Amino acid sequence: MDIVISPLAAADVEAVAALARRVWQHTYPGIISQEQIDYMLDQRYRAQRVNDELGMATVWWDQLTVDGQLAGFVSCLLTGTPGEMKLDKLYVDPQRQRLGIGRRLVERVVARALENACETLVLAVNKGNSNAIAAYRKQGFSIRDSVSVDIGGGFVMDDFIMARSLLAPATGPQQP
């Protein structure tokens, strides 16, 4: 099995949007409405928005392929808080979730954070997404806060803010 992580290129933006749609359609029904899923996908994965982010010095998009096929992607950004990086998006093809792809993408973000002298990784995850919460806990993240975020379009997301210190190696699940 040939696994490669590489920077996302503009030519790959449509494939990433299609993967995001598969992940959201697999994960979020029953957690949020189909209307909200469609709104989030339209807002976050429009080609122009992703291409704009690809041109920013403080935002990184990486893709992971398995045997030449897109299997996951991640984006991260500097938050403006000194020493902090946000893991903004991390998606794995639902049919490839048991291959360690999520772990490899988190490792990529950790490497980017350390390259940028960041001591803490943060992320937001929907409170109803118990699988993602458990997976992030296995990667050393713990719940820091609970927030309701107005994402526009008349929608509010109820999220946990999770954080991981990079000062000490992750040793397994963290308690909130």
Side-chain angles (χ1 to χ4, degrees):
M1 183 167 40
D2 183 33
I3 297 176
V4 176
I5 298 177
S6 61
L8 185 69
D12 302 314
V13 168
E14 287 186 35
V16 161
L19 177 56
R21 179 162 295 281
R22 284 194 309 276
V23 169
W24 278 73
Q25 296 296 349
H26 177 265
T27 304
Y28 286 99
I31 297 174
I32 60 177
S33 71
Q34 183 63 47
E35 185 179 30
Q36 190 170 0
I37 291 169
D38 292 340
Y39 178 82
M40 286 296 293
L41 289 167
D42 179 59
Q43 294 302 306
R44 298 198 71 176
Y45 297 99
R46 286 187 328 267
Q48 186 60 50
R49 178 180 174 155
V50 174
N51 283 318
D52 288 348
E53 288 184 7
L54 290 176
M56 295 177 179
T58 59
V59 178
W60 296 268
W61 281 77
D62 290 307
Q63 61 185 335
L64 184 146
T65 58
V66 175
D67 298 330
Q69 299 294 312
L70 180 65
F73 68 90
V74 66
S75 73
C76 58
L77 56 104
L78 297 175
T79 66
T81 299
E84 185 176 89
M85 181 173 278
K86 180 178 182 187
L87 192 166
D88 192 37
K89 302 169 191 76
L90 188 152
Y91 296 111
V92 175
D93 186 324
Q95 296 177 341
R96 296 179 182 260
Q97 289 183 341
R98 302 274 184 231
L99 299 178
I101 292 168
R103 177 186 47 77
R104 289 176 190 219
L105 291 171
V106 169
E107 289 169 356
R108 177 68 159 216
V109 174
V110 167
R112 291 229 189 256
L114 293 173
E115 289 168 6
N116 285 276
C118 293
E119 300 171 353
T120 305
L121 281 176
V122 296
L123 60 90
V125 62
N126 186 281
K127 289 180 181 180
N129 193 341
S130 58
N131 289 337
I133 293 165
Y136 286 123
R137 281 192 167 146
K138 286 180 184 176
Q139 294 299 315
F141 288 85
S142 60
I143 295 173
R144 174 192 279 180
D145 201 358
S146 175
V147 298
S148 291
V149 180
D150 181 345
I151 60 168
F155 299 111
V156 174
M157 296 285 281
D158 291 318
D159 291 343
F160 285 126
I161 303 300
M162 298 184 80
R164 173 180 167 183
S165 172
L166 300 179
L167 297 177
T171 57
Q174 302 285 313
Q175 297 302 314

